[in-house]
Amino acid sequence: QNYLDNFWPDLKAAHELFDSIVQARRERESESQENHGKEYPEHLPVEVLEAGIKSGRYLQGALNVNKHRAQLEAFVRLQGFGSKDTG
């Protein structure tokens, strides 16, 4: 803000862009505080997920994403599956 005020006081577009960025950061910080520091809110309560995993309705695993083709290639490695000694 000081830089813009001192060196570019008449550059309206830059000031508007800066204000927009500041507002977006404040909103993101506010959302983060509401979500207890998590970037994304949880979709289902933990209790529902745990019960679903125990009942077999949901599966638990690790998400693996291809770093070169992240928007096209990903898979979930299920816990207890995929070790070398399984068929």
Side-chain angles (χ1 to χ4, degrees):
Q1 181 69 47
N2 289 337
Y3 176 79
L4 289 174
D5 290 340
N6 290 328
F7 295 102
W8 304 98
D10 299 328
L11 193 58
K12 184 178 177 183
H15 286 273
E16 289 174 357
L17 177 60
F18 179 80
D19 292 340
S20 174
I21 292 170
V22 169
Q23 181 63 28
R25 287 187 68 189
R26 285 184 187 145
E27 289 174 7
R28 190 171 194 185
E29 289 171 4
S30 174
E31 290 172 3
S32 179
Q33 289 174 354
E34 290 173 7
N35 295 326
H36 307 290
K38 297 177 184 172
E39 188 170 347
Y40 300 100
E42 296 176 10
H43 295 280
L44 293 173
V46 174
E47 300 80 26
V48 172
L49 291 173
E50 289 174 348
I53 291 169
K54 286 181 183 177
S55 71
R57 180 175 183 183
Y58 302 123
L59 300 174
Q60 183 174 2
L63 176 64
N64 293 279
V65 179
N66 182 326
K67 68 180 179 180
H68 302 291
R69 296 172 46 102
Q71 300 207 357
L72 301 174
E73 294 181 13
F75 65 94
V76 175
R77 185 179 309 266
L78 299 177
Q79 289 184 352
F81 294 93
S83 65
K84 292 181 180 180
D85 44 308
T86 59

